[in-house]
């Protein structure tokens, strides 16, 4: 590993330690105040809606500012936001509106950074080493992600003072990550790359229309987020409280998912064959996890499946990022990543807001069973009938990638 890549891992690793504990911290904070799927869905859903604008704006922003500047700006936002919430916890507590605002900041920053991180690695890593770099990145980020939930949940559950301390701790880690990022190379702005595109999103969509494999992955990811990921975030914390009487297990499950991400990163480094089917298959274990919790499977098996889900998410994420970085024209990489974010994370609010409404009619467990089963069936169909062609290449540059 060269110096620039090590600095990238350290700076983003510290950031990941801070950011990984926030979903568990938010969920435990809302549920511990008596909130159910509706309240949790509002916090996650309404707060995430404006983040679509962040993903849409990201390619245009990257044509004016380099990736490092965007990394630094995100840390500044988080330091200010976390300090504010920590002070509110000390004075009068935090309302649901504040949690919505925090979720908005979280999703907005994630949307803005998604394309920046994906397009930054090719500027500091040779093309032949991209899969190894993505795998190492996934492993390091997974290790960092183990610490966040394990620290955040016990501290949060200790009362108002504990929640305040957790938010101050996140702010301190964000500030440390910001200091580390000052040593990173600046990266490249999108308008400094070869070629010139007009509207980044229309150009990337025009390219993707000729890439049937990529479109299948992107559209199934949207279905998976609406039916599966929303049940995972909204339904599981509630069922852990109702059926297991173990709300603390939510933080443990999050940590095991991150632990699986560590293993998955190592697997992705060794497993060189990169196919679109891997990207789809990697999403299926989490759906099985949702189904197991909905049917009140033993807690030890649920925890084990959390780790398996993390392995799948890591392997699929590494293979997807590597294929985009290798096969998409460099000038379109930020826009393709951002468009993929809009079609996956961006549609999440549909599930966050819609799933609780369905749960209120049919019950939490029944809704989670139906949603996860439908998503599993669609995933298996996508794997079986996956297109032969994944990406498009201009004639004479590289051969079309085939499975």
């Amino acid at each position: 590993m060269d110096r620039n890549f090590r600095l990238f891992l350290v700076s983003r690793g510290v950031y990941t330690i801070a950011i990984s504990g926030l979903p568990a911290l938010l969920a435990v904070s809302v549920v511990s105040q008596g909130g159910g799927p509706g309240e949790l869905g509002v916090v996650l859903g309404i707060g995430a809606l404006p983040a679509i604008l962040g993903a849409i704006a990201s390619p245009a922003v990257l044509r004016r500012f380099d990736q490092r500047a965007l990394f630094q700006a995100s840390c500044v936002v988080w330091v200010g936001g976390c300090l504010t919430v920590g002070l509110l916890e000390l004075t009068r507590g935090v309302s649901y509106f504040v949690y919505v605002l925090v979720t908005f900041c979280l999703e907005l920053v994630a949307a803005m950074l998604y394309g920046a991180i994906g397009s930054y690695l090719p500027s500091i890593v040779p093309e032949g080493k991209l899969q190894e770099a993505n795998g190492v990145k996934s492993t390091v980020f997974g290790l960092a992600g183990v610490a966040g939930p394990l620290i955040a949940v016990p501290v949060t559950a200790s009362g108002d003072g504990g929640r305040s301390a957790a938010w101050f701790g996140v702010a301190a880690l964000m500030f440390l990550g910001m200091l580390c990022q000052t040593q990173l190379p600046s990266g490249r702005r999108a308008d400094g790359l070869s070629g010139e595109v007009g509207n980044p999103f229309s150009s990337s969509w025009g390219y993707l229309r000729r890439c049937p494999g990529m479109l299948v992955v992107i559209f199934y990811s949207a279905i998976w987020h609406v039916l599966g990921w929303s049940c995972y975030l909204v339904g599981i914390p509630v069922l852990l409280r109702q059926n297991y009487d173990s709300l603390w297990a939510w933080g443990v499950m999050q940590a095991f998912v991150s632990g699986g991400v560590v293993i998955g990163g190592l697997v992705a480094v060794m497993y060189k064959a990169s196919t679109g089917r891997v990207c789809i298959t990697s999403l299926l274990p989490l759906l099985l996890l949702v189904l197991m919790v909905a049917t009140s499977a033993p807690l030890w098996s649920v925890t084990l499946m959390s780790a398996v889900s993390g392995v799948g998410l890591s392997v699929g994420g590494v293979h997807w990022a590597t294929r985009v970085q290798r096969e998409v024209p460099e000038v379109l990489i930020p826009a393709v990543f951002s468009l993929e974010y809009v079609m996956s994370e961006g549609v999440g609010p549909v599930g966050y807001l819609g799933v609780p409404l369905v749960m209120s009619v049919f019950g939490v467990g029944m809704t989670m069973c139906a949603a996860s089963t439908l998503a599993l069936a669609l995933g298996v169909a996508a794997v079986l009938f996956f297109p032969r062609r994944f990406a498009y290449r201009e004639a004479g540059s590289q051969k079309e990638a085939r499975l």
Side-chain angles (χ1 to χ4, degrees), residues 56 59-60 63 196-207 331-332 335 339:
I56 295 174
R63 299 180 70 183
E196 186 70 31
V197 295
N199 183 287
F201 266 88
S202 63
S203 300
S204 63
W205 179 247
Y207 172 80
V331 71
L332 293 177
L339 183 61

Side-chain angles (χ1 to χ4, degrees), residues 56-324:
I56 295 174
S58 178
V61 172
L62 286 171
R63 299 180 70 183
R64 302 292 182 268
F65 303 95
D66 60 72
Q67 292 99 330
R68 188 183 66 178
L70 202 55
F71 296 161
Q72 293 287 77
S74 67
C75 287
V76 171
V77 170
W78 267 112
V79 169
C82 292
L83 288 176
T84 301
V85 176
L87 290 173
L88 288 175
E89 290 282 7
L90 284 177
T91 55
R92 58 180 177 80
V94 179
S95 66
Y96 287 139
F97 172 78
V98 175
Y99 290 134
V100 169
L101 185 60
V102 169
T103 307
F104 162 68
C105 293
L106 171 66
E107 295 295 339
L108 178 62
V109 168
M112 295 290 290
L113 291 182
Y114 191 73
I117 293 174
S119 61
Y120 185 69
L121 272 184
S123 69
I124 61 174
V125 175
E127 181 177 344
K129 296 292 184 181
L130 277 173
Q131 181 152 329
E132 289 88 341
N134 281 307
V136 171
K137 180 192 75 172
S138 181
T139 299
V140 172
F141 288 9
L143 286 170
V146 170
L150 287 179
I151 295 172
V153 172
V155 173
T156 303
S158 63
D160 294 341
R163 287 195 293 271
S164 179
W167 287 107
F168 287 140
V170 170
L173 285 172
M174 290 290 182
F175 184 74
L176 178 60
M178 185 170 61
L179 293 180
C180 295
Q181 288 168 0
T182 59
Q183 304 300 314
L184 284 173
S186 59
R188 287 177 290 182
R189 297 186 322 200
D191 63 357
L193 300 172
S194 59
E196 186 70 31
V197 295
N199 183 287
F201 266 88
S202 63
S203 300
S204 63
W205 179 247
Y207 172 80
L208 285 173
R209 285 189 304 177
R210 297 176 288 177
C211 305
M214 285 190 174
L215 284 179
V216 168
V217 174
I218 289 174
F219 280 108
Y220 181 72
S221 179
I223 295 171
W224 181 86
H225 275 84
V226 172
L227 296 178
W229 189 246
S230 58
C231 287
Y232 172 76
L233 290 181
V234 174
I236 287 183
V238 176
L239 287 188
L240 288 176
R241 182 188 63 186
Q242 292 179 356
N243 298 350
Y244 294 87
D245 193 25
S246 299
L247 188 55
W248 56 269
W250 180 232
V252 175
M253 287 176 60
Q254 299 258 328
F256 268 76
V257 169
S258 297
V261 169
V262 175
I263 300 173
L266 297 175
V267 171
V269 170
M270 297 181 291
Y271 176 54
K272 300 297 183 182
S274 180
T275 72
R277 285 188 172 92
V278 171
C279 299
I280 299 291
T281 305
S282 67
L283 300 175
L284 303 184
L286 186 130
L287 299 174
L288 291 174
L289 172 63
V290 172
L291 189 60
M292 290 172 64
V293 175
T295 55
S296 300
L299 197 55
W300 66 267
S301 63
V302 169
T303 305
L304 181 61
M305 182 53 70
S306 298
V308 175
S309 301
V311 173
L313 294 176
S314 179
V315 171
V318 168
H319 284 283
W320 168 255
T322 302
R323 296 209 72 170
V324 172

